[in-house]
Amino acid sequence: QSALTQPASVSGSPGQSITISCTGTSSDVGGYNCVSWYQQQLGKAPKLMIYDVSIRPSGVSNRFSGSKSGNTASLTISGLQAEDEADYYCSSYTSSTTLPYVFGTGTKVTVL
Amino acid sequence: EVHLLESGGGLVQPGGSLRLSCAASGFTFSTYAMSWVRQAPGKGLEWVSGISGSGGITYYADSVKGRFSVSRDNSKNTLYLQMNSLRAEDTALYYCAKRVAPAPNGRAFDSWGQGTLVTVSS
């Protein structure tokens, strides 16, 4: 089971919208509506931003939204703010009986 | 408020052993599956191991299978990871993480500890 593929970096100016992609296979992203997204700021633990493709946990800004099409999931950050600068990881449940979760390669978001 | 606190990390020689603990509070511990996720220095997240709420079902990544063992003591609200035959590539910050919802829903992790650092080096 390989890691999900994400772009290494995405950047945008304050106020803009950016989208991070997460590509897997039919055995993970494409097979289940169990994609989640995590924000990790420097030196901190990951924070859940989206789960089950598009559900925002309580307290997460509605500027963050998730979607999925086929084997590719996406995280969109609208109205980009300086505080959004962080690493973002996607994750998916998988069909593997020995590796039920796989993470993405990670994307560094830079606010210009 | 959910709180997870890992402990037990440290410097160990290749081939050595360590036991990590994760003390949980703020939720009904026995109701939720838990996982260990690690992050090597400067690298991404890697799921390592998971255990059901009752402790009866366990999962391991291929990279640690046969060397690591996950367990939990629901009477003490504590999760454990016994790590044996440690290798240099096991060097990482180890996080414990709580599943969003009781099985079969919420296959994601909504609460994470601050991590405990494991360094395998001679």
Side-chain angles (χ1 to χ4, degrees), chain B residues 87-105:
Chain B
R87 306 167 179 167
E89 54 263 37
D90 296 318
T91 293
L93 189 61
Y94 284 73
Y95 294 102
C96 66
K98 168 189 164 290
R99 184 163 160 162
V100 170
N105 303 313

Side-chain angles (χ1 to χ4, degrees), chain A residues 27-29 32 34-35 91-95 100-102, chain B residues 99 107:
Chain A
S27 296
D28 38 64
V29 174
Y32 303 91
C34 298
V35 176
S91 179
S92 177
Y93 185 73
T94 83
S95 61
Y101 297 96
V102 62
Chain B
R99 184 163 160 162
R107 290 167 172 152

Side-chain angles (χ1 to χ4, degrees), chain A residues 32 34 36 38 40 44-46 48 51-52 89 93 97-101 103-104, chain B residues 37 39 43-45 47 59-62 65 95 99-100 107-110 112-113:
Chain A
Y32 303 91
C34 298
S36 51
Y38 301 87
Q40 187 177 35
K44 295 192 174 182
L48 179 65
Y51 69 98
D52 289 354
Y89 295 91
Y93 185 73
T97 56
T98 56
L99 188 68
Y101 297 96
F103 283 94
Chain B
V37 177
Q39 186 169 35
K43 302 296 185 182
L45 301 172
W47 182 88
Y59 304 90
Y60 301 94
D62 286 342
K65 197 175 304 179
Y95 294 102
R99 184 163 160 162
V100 170
R107 290 167 172 152
F109 309 111
D110 63 350
W112 298 64

Side-chain angles (χ1 to χ4, degrees), chain B residues 66-116:
Chain B
R67 301 187 297 121
F68 289 13
S69 176
V70 63
S71 62
R72 63 192 297 161
D73 185 337
N74 288 342
S75 68
K76 296 182 178 179
N77 289 351
T78 303
L79 174 72
Y80 303 101
L81 185 68
Q82 178 67 45
M83 305 186 296
N84 300 328
S85 302
L86 282 161
R87 306 167 179 167
E89 54 263 37
D90 296 318
T91 293
L93 189 61
Y94 284 73
Y95 294 102
C96 66
K98 168 189 164 290
R99 184 163 160 162
V100 170
N105 303 313
R107 290 167 172 152
F109 309 111
D110 63 350
S111 298
W112 298 64
Q114 87 293 343
T116 187

Side-chain angles (χ1 to χ4, degrees), chain A:
Chain A
Q1 190 84 32
S2 301
L4 307 176
T5 301
Q6 299 180 232
S9 62
V10 173
S11 61
S13 299
Q16 287 186 330
S17 293
I18 61 169
T19 296
I20 303 168
S21 62
C22 170
T23 302
T25 69
S26 58
S27 296
D28 38 64
V29 174
Y32 303 91
N33 287 323
C34 298
V35 176
S36 51
W37 290 90
Y38 301 87
Q39 177 194 68
Q40 187 177 35
Q41 295 184 318
L42 192 62
K44 295 192 174 182
K47 175 186 177 183
L48 179 65
M49 306 303 283
I50 296 284
Y51 69 98
D52 289 354
V53 177
S54 61
I55 299 177
R56 274 189 314 275
S58 174
V60 173
S61 171
N62 59 9
R63 298 186 297 105
F64 292 83
S65 61
S67 62
K68 190 187 85 167
S69 178
N71 295 339
T72 298
S74 299
L75 174 71
T76 296
I77 308 174
S78 58
L80 198 62
Q81 298 180 2
E83 67 201 48
D84 300 331
E85 188 160 293
D87 293 326
Y88 290 81
Y89 295 91
C90 63
S91 179
S92 177
Y93 185 73
T94 83
S95 61
S96 170
T97 56
T98 56
L99 188 68
Y101 297 96
V102 62
F103 283 94
T105 50
T107 298
K108 171 65 178 178
V109 168
T110 301
V111 181
L112 301 172

